[in-house]
């Protein structure tokens, strides 16, 4: 950074000439390599830095006066006054990693260094992003890049990283942008937004037209602006000593100071672990499978298989793996996990495909029953969010987000250079966060290292960090909803999917805590539907240790059992698979799709139905939270026959009592009773445009909005011959029902023919 004294006695033209002369003098002064403190940021020796001036015939409506013209300076000299609080070792490692990986090294060329951003506050204006909404920040608008779209496209073809990312054809807005800008002769406008402790560059006439950039101070330089701060930019090389050193620091801080984390983690050693060491000759990694390992710290891996793994442990290769596991046969994700484990300084790694003998049902059931202890006992869990399959890996350099060096003006006569980092594309729905098995793996972990498309995020019960970038996005939200917006930050978005210690989902009292867990889990997918209960069994095990619950029946707890039976699905979103049995019809595990229960506001429930008996048969007694072979519940309650309709304006929800004719409700479409709301679990199971006869079972009643209301189950009678060991009438759940009243009609169950029955629901 250089500060120039203002020449008050000169004309505008003379001032510009003097500025240019001083720029040339500064360039000569810094041509010596020894005078350049950060050689990896230096431009090639043959490069001549151009002077940048506002065009005399600029088409900007807000051009700066001549006295504000910018003469681009040489590389900033090292300043003795350095208030940077970032450890120098981190800065040095940041520079060395950039040198080792050319695609992650900051880019500089004549096209991008000609870009000059003006950060002077006196030229900024307060917008809706600013103080009017009680948020700290301002905006400088109506600035323009030196190039038009066509010129920028040509610069991109010549290798300019800045314009290549700006005009990338994989951008979702690419087609729209071409329609808008394809024939435009003007230069591309942009604005600088300084808000919430971040500084960003938004190209285009409106947000979303082009990809955006985040602005950072170059590592090792004095901060040029309060909003740039001293935060190191994102680390684009996750497989680096910089990254591993940071992680070790976070882990050591947690182990020393975090009481919640250390209280949550429990001492445990899995039956099998992969031991990772290095060879004495070459220093390359080598691995072997260890049975009954000596006590020590280990990491666990959470990832997506994405298909069968040829290297998985089966009985025929178990002996071989206990001698050596050849690194070359492992999928890339597992190789990367071993690299991280060794880089951080641990000896052991737990991976399900290797630690569980996959063709041994007894061993599989035993290990799954210990899953909660495995993840609770791990020092940290590596979450390979980036990898769609086990073949993808997650440690490749993030070359797509190579930064560029651009010019900046901080004050009337203060100039410098800053880094423009391409803003990462938002991808909150990583494939890993949509899979069923990975749900409990992240919920039960004490510490998580999540490797995404853009960066590494660390999360534990008391802290969150990222591998470079703005850390304040993890701070608790302020009182005003307008003070902080992190919806466009990929690290903050990924962190929303991480809940170490099950703090967010499991904090509510039973049964609401369990209903929240089921709601989140039921939105995920499983390759094998038979894993519906086993894939959440570890969370169920931990839930049983922290909540006042006892018996567990196919996903429902004995305590508040009827309350949990009132789960419901969004209309026409769930499927009840046919074929292999996996749960009773009254269990949410019998359907595929998001299910939810009562809200917290409905606490004053009066249960009119009685639970007489409930029973399930486990497939394996080793895991009481695992698969079931069958189950039923015996109830006594008030029932009424109903006709459900799949046609009309309320198709799928409408119905009326079986004894009522449609003529009783002439003002309602198709003669339906508006006191009823019926939702079947799986619409595709029933004929279209028809009426189907079901039974309604009243489970509970409550008072709301001045009327009596109730909720219950929608049941279908089944052939008793299929269940010869059960007496009484046998039904199966097909949906749920709401009952109500209105000004003209009484509560639905009190208006007509209803009867008390003792039934069995399978």
């Amino acid at each position: 950074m250089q500060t120039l004294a203002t020449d008050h006695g000169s004309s505008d033209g003379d001032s510009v000439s003097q500025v240019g002369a001083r720029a040339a003098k500064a360039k000569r002064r810094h041509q010596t390599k020894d005078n350049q403190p950060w050689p990896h940021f230096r431009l090639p020796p043959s490069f001549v830095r151009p002077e940048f001036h506002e065009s005399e015939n600029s088409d900007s409506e807000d051009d700066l006066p001549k006295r504000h013209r910018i003469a681009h300076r040489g590389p900033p000299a090292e300043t003795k006054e350095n208030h940077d609080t970032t450890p120098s070792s981190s800065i040095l490692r940041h520079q060395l990693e950039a040198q080792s990986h050319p695609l992650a090294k900051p880019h500089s060329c004549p096209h991008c260094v000609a870009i000059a951003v003006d950060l002077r506050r006196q030229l900024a204006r307060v917008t809706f992003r600013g103080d009017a909404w009680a948020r700290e920040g301002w905006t400088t608008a109506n600035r323009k890049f030196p190039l038009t779209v066509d010129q920028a496209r040509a610069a991109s073809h010549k290798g300019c990283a800045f314009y290549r990312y700006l005009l990338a054809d994989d951008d979702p807005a690419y087609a729209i942008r071409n329609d808008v800008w394809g024939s435009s002769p003007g230069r591309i406008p942009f604005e600088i937004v300084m808000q919430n402790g971040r500084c960003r560059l938004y190209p285009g006439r409106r947000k979303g037209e082009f990809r955006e950039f985040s602005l950072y101070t170059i590592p090792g330089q004095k901060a040029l602006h309060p909003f740039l701060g001293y935060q190191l930019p994102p680390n684009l090389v996750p497989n680096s000593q910089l990254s591993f050193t940071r992680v070790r620091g976070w882990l050591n801080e947690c182990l020393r100071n975090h009481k919640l984390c250390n209280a949550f983690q429990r001492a445990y050693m899995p039956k099998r672990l992969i031991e990772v060491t290095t060879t004495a000759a070459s220093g390359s990694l080598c691995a072997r499978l260890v049975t009954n390992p000596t006590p020590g710290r280990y990491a666990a891996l959470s990832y997506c298989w994405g298909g069968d793994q040829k290297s998985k442990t089966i009985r025929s290769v178990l002996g071989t793996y206990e001698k050596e596991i050849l690194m070359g046969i492992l999928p890339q994700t597992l190789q990367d996990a071993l690299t991280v484990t060794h880089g951080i300084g641990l000896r052991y790694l737990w991976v399900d495909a290797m630690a569980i003998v996959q063709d041994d049902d007894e061993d599989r059931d035993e290990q799954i029953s210990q899953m909660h202890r495995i993840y609770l006992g791990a020092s940290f869990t590596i979450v390979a969010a980036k990898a769609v399959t086990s073949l993808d890996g997650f440690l490749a350099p993030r070359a797509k987000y190579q930064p560029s060096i651009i010019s900046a003006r901080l004050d009337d006569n203060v100039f410098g250079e800053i880094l423009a980092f391409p803003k990462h594309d938002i991808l909150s729905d990583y494939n890993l966060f949509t899979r069923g098995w990975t749900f409990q793996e992240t919920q039960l972990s004490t510490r998580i290292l999540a490797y995404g498309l853009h960066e590494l995020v660390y999360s534990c019960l008391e802290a969150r960090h990222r591998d470079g970038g703005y850390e304040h996005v993890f701070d608790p939200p302020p009182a005003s909803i307008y003070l902080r917006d992190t919806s466009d930050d990929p690290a903050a978005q990924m962190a929303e999917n991480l809940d170490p210690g099950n703090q967010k989902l499991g904090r509510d009292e039973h049964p609401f805590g369990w209903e929240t867990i089921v709601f989140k889990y039921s939105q995920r997918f499983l390759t094998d539907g038979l894993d519906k209960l086993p894939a959440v069994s570890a969370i169920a095990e931990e839930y049983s240790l922290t909540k006042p619950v006892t018996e567990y029946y196919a996903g429902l707890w004995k305590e508040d059992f009827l309350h949990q039976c009132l789960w419901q699905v969004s209309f026409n979103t769930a499927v009840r698979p046919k074929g292999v049995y996996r749960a009773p019809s009254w269990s949410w595990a019998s359907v595929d799709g998001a299910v939810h229960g009562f809200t917290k506001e409905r606490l004053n429930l009066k249960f009119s139905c009685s639970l007489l008996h409930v029973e399930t048969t486990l497939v394996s007694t080793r895991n009481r939270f695992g698969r079931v072979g069958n189950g039923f519940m015996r109830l006594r309650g008030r029932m009424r026959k109903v006709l459900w309709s799949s046609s009309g304006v309320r198709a799928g929800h409408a119905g009326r009592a079986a004894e009522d004719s449609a003529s009783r409700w002439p003002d309602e479409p198709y003669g339906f009773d508006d006191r009823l709301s019926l939702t079947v679990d799986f619409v595709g199971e029933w004929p279209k445009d028809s009426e189907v006869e079901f039974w309604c079972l009243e489970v509970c009643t409550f008072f709301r909005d001045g009327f009596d209301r109730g909720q219950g189950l929608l049941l279908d009678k089944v052939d008793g011959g299929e269940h010869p060991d059960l007496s009484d009438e046998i039904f199966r759940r097909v949906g749920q029902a709401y009952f109500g009243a209105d000004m003209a009609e009484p509560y639905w169950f009190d208006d007509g023919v209803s009867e008390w029955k003792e039934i069995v629901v399978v």
Side-chain angles (χ1 to χ4, degrees):
M1 178 181 72
Q2 291 118 31
T3 304
L4 305 182
T6 306
D7 187 357
H8 296 286
S10 303
S11 66
D12 288 341
D14 291 336
S15 297
V16 172
S17 299
Q18 290 176 3
V19 169
R22 293 177 184 178
K25 184 178 180 180
K27 175 179 177 295
R28 290 193 298 271
R29 184 169 61 247
H30 293 291
Q31 279 182 338
T32 305
K33 180 178 180 180
D34 295 338
N35 290 336
Q36 298 188 20
W38 314 116
H40 70 295
F41 288 124
R42 192 179 74 259
L43 297 177
S46 60
F47 176 75
V48 179
R49 294 178 177 273
E51 292 189 5
F52 172 73
H53 303 281
E54 290 287 345
S55 172
E56 294 294 344
N57 58 351
S58 170
D59 54 359
S60 170
E61 297 177 1
D62 190 31
D63 285 337
L64 298 177
K66 291 182 179 180
R67 65 178 179 273
H68 288 151
R69 292 173 181 172
I70 298 175
H72 187 76
R73 290 297 186 179
E78 186 174 8
T79 175
K80 295 181 180 179
E81 182 185 3
N82 191 349
H83 302 291
D84 193 349
T85 58
T86 305
S88 59
S89 60
S90 295
I91 296 173
L92 180 59
R93 288 194 182 95
H94 214 284
Q95 298 159 0
L96 293 176
E97 298 303 342
Q99 285 179 311
S100 303
H101 301 274
L103 291 179
K105 177 181 176 180
H107 166 80
S108 188
C109 72
H111 302 291
C112 56
V113 296
I115 300 169
V117 298
D118 199 325
L119 303 180
R120 289 175 294 173
R121 185 169 185 174
Q122 62 267 32
L123 298 180
R125 59 187 175 87
V126 175
T127 67
F128 69 93
R129 299 185 182 89
D131 298 338
W133 293 93
R135 287 184 287 187
E136 182 183 5
W138 58 90
T139 300
T140 61
N142 297 322
R143 303 292 180 262
K144 294 193 176 184
F145 290 121
L147 305 182
T148 65
V149 171
D150 291 337
Q151 293 170 337
R153 191 174 291 112
S156 171
H157 294 327
K158 293 179 181 179
C160 179
F162 185 93
Y163 288 113
R164 181 175 64 244
Y165 188 82
L166 184 70
L167 300 172
D169 56 8
D170 62 344
D171 184 359
Y174 175 73
I176 300 175
R177 185 171 65 239
N178 272 1
D179 292 341
V180 175
W181 290 95
S183 58
S184 175
R187 293 183 289 143
I188 305 173
F190 69 89
E191 66 175 357
I192 302 296
V193 177
M194 292 158 279
Q195 173 195 325
N196 299 336
R198 292 184 289 175
C199 190
R200 289 170 289 182
L201 187 154
Y202 290 99
R205 293 191 180 103
R206 55 185 180 271
K207 188 174 179 180
E209 219 168 45
F210 292 87
R211 281 175 163 165
E212 304 157 12
F213 295 82
S214 295
L215 305 181
Y216 291 88
T217 300
I218 295 177
Q221 289 190 358
K222 180 181 177 180
L224 303 178
H225 194 279
F227 277 94
L228 295 175
Y230 299 104
Q231 181 67 56
L232 285 173
N235 177 21
L236 300 181
V237 190
N239 184 10
S240 63
Q241 285 304 313
L242 170 64
S243 182
F244 296 150
T245 301
R246 281 175 173 167
V247 172
R248 284 195 293 269
W250 300 333
L251 293 173
N252 289 334
E253 176 192 12
C254 182
L255 290 170
R256 287 195 306 264
N257 303 323
H258 293 177
K259 295 181 179 179
L260 283 178
C261 299
N262 293 317
F264 182 79
Q265 186 179 5
R266 299 171 194 169
Y268 181 76
M269 285 300 288
K271 183 178 179 179
R272 297 185 192 89
L273 289 168
I274 302 177
E275 182 185 43
V276 54
T277 56
T278 56
T279 59
S282 63
S284 58
L285 294 182
C286 56
R288 69 185 183 100
L289 197 61
V290 179
T291 302
N292 299 321
T294 56
R297 297 172 61 192
Y298 67 93
L301 175 65
S302 177
Y303 68 112
C304 294
W305 279 41
D308 192 25
Q309 295 187 45
K310 296 180 180 179
S311 60
K312 66 180 185 248
T313 299
I314 55 178
R315 283 176 287 193
S316 62
V317 299
L318 179 59
T320 303
Y321 285 176
E322 289 178 337
K323 296 177 182 178
E324 182 184 10
I325 302 175
L326 297 176
M327 295 293 290
I329 70 172
L330 295 176
Q332 191 61 50
T333 297
L334 272 63
Q335 293 186 40
D336 287 353
L338 290 170
T339 300
V340 171
T341 302
H342 183 266
I344 295 174
L346 267 63
R347 182 179 180 184
Y348 296 120
L349 173 68
W350 188 89
V351 182
D352 55 0
M354 309 302 293
I356 301 174
V357 182
Q358 299 295 321
D359 59 349
D360 187 335
D361 291 340
E362 182 177 343
D363 187 75
R364 187 175 186 271
D365 291 340
E366 178 188 354
Q367 296 301 306
I368 290 177
S369 68
Q370 301 299 317
M371 200 74 74
H372 71 291
R373 294 184 177 89
I374 291 172
Y375 282 95
L376 281 170
S379 292
F380 59 88
T381 297
I382 302 168
V383 175
K386 174 184 177 181
V388 177
T389 73
S390 62
L391 302 175
D392 296 336
F394 55 87
L395 289 183
R398 304 177 181 106
K400 178 180 179 181
Y401 304 107
Q402 180 183 16
S404 299
I405 300 176
I406 63 175
S407 305
R409 186 170 193 171
L410 295 313
D411 207 340
D412 284 352
N413 292 297
V414 181
F415 309 89
E417 288 179 336
I418 59 177
L419 287 181
F421 260 79
K423 178 179 171 292
H424 303 144
D425 301 323
I426 296 298
L427 180 61
S428 57
D429 293 332
Y430 282 99
N431 187 60
L432 183 134
F433 299 129
T434 66
R435 307 305 300 174
W437 275 105
T438 60
F439 177 73
Q440 62 184 10
E441 296 168 359
T442 55
Q443 295 297 120
L444 295 180
S445 299
T446 307
R447 306 170 192 89
I448 296 173
L449 301 178
Y451 287 84
L453 286 170
H454 322 109
E455 57 195 316
L456 164 65
V457 172
Y458 168 85
S459 182
C460 68
L461 277 69
E462 296 190 34
R464 284 178 175 175
H465 300 287
R466 68 197 300 180
D467 195 6
Y470 299 107
E471 287 234 340
H472 69 274
V473 297
F474 298 136
D475 295 341
S480 172
I481 62 174
Y482 303 109
L483 282 174
R484 183 171 293 114
D485 178 17
T486 59
S487 60
D488 61 350
D489 188 277
Q493 288 293 297
M494 186 164 67
E496 288 298 313
N497 291 290
L498 306 177
D499 184 19
N502 202 30
Q503 293 184 105
K504 292 185 292 187
L505 299 186
R507 63 188 174 190
D508 293 332
E509 294 301 319
H510 182 74
F512 300 110
W514 183 248
E515 288 179 349
T516 304
I517 291 172
V518 169
F519 172 66
K520 289 292 185 180
Y521 171 67
S522 63
Q523 298 178 64
R524 301 202 174 199
F525 302 96
L526 290 161
T527 302
D528 186 354
L530 291 176
D531 290 337
K532 192 77 171 185
L533 290 171
V536 77
S537 61
I539 288 186
E541 174 86 26
E542 182 62 20
Y543 192 87
S544 70
L545 300 175
T546 57
K547 303 292 183 182
V549 293
T550 54
E551 299 300 321
Y552 183 77
Y553 302 102
L556 284 72
W557 299 94
K558 178 180 179 181
E559 289 70 23
D560 295 289
F561 185 87
L562 290 177
H563 188 126
Q564 297 166 73
C565 284
L566 297 174
W567 56 268
Q568 51 192 301
V569 301
S570 298
F571 177 67
N572 208 16
T573 60
V575 175
R576 178 172 274 118
K578 292 185 177 181
V580 181
Y581 181 91
R582 72 185 191 194
S585 65
W586 41 262
S587 169
W588 54 265
S590 65
V591 300
D592 290 330
V595 302
H596 54 92
F598 263 0
T599 60
K600 289 184 179 180
E601 288 71 24
R602 298 180 183 173
L603 295 177
N604 298 319
L605 303 180
K606 297 180 180 178
F607 286 90
S608 55
C609 180
S610 300
L611 175 64
L612 305 179
H613 182 71
V614 59
E615 181 179 314
T616 55
T617 303
L618 293 171
V619 172
S620 172
T621 57
R622 292 183 182 86
N623 185 4
R624 71 186 186 100
F625 303 101
R627 296 177 182 174
V628 297
N630 56 66
F632 69 92
M633 64 178 178
R634 181 171 283 110
L635 305 171
R636 185 177 186 276
R638 187 159 59 155
M639 300 186 69
R640 193 175 179 188
K641 194 176 293 185
V642 68
L643 293 176
W644 170 78
S645 176
S646 59
S647 61
V649 293
R650 292 182 61 215
H653 295 285
R656 65 175 183 273
E659 69 268 17
D660 289 346
S661 63
S663 60
R664 180 179 175 183
W665 313 103
D667 297 331
E668 296 297 328
Y670 299 89
F672 300 141
D673 191 341
D674 64 355
R675 295 174 297 172
L676 278 178
S677 179
L678 311 175
T679 302
V680 298
D681 297 333
F682 179 32
V683 176
E685 189 177 359
W686 309 103
K688 295 182 179 180
D689 299 325
S690 62
E691 290 185 339
V692 184
E693 185 177 273
F694 293 134
W695 286 83
C696 284
L697 170 69
E698 181 189 58
V699 175
C700 67
T701 60
F702 54 95
F703 188 79
R704 192 183 67 182
D705 299 333
F707 296 102
D708 289 325
R709 303 181 186 277
Q711 188 177 9
L713 300 179
L714 196 61
L715 305 174
D716 181 36
K717 197 167 185 178
V718 301
D719 184 6
E722 299 177 5
H723 305 274
D725 54 333
L726 298 176
S727 58
D728 302 319
E729 294 183 84
I730 301 175
F731 296 81
R732 67 182 181 99
R733 171 184 162 135
V734 295
Q736 58 84 35
Y738 282 102
F739 324 112
D742 56 31
M743 296 295 293
E745 303 291 342
Y747 176 59
W748 186 77
F749 255 102
D750 295 336
D751 179 27
V753 180
S754 63
E755 52 185 311
W756 288 86
K757 286 176 173 287
E758 185 173 314
I759 63 170
V760 169
V761 183
V762 295

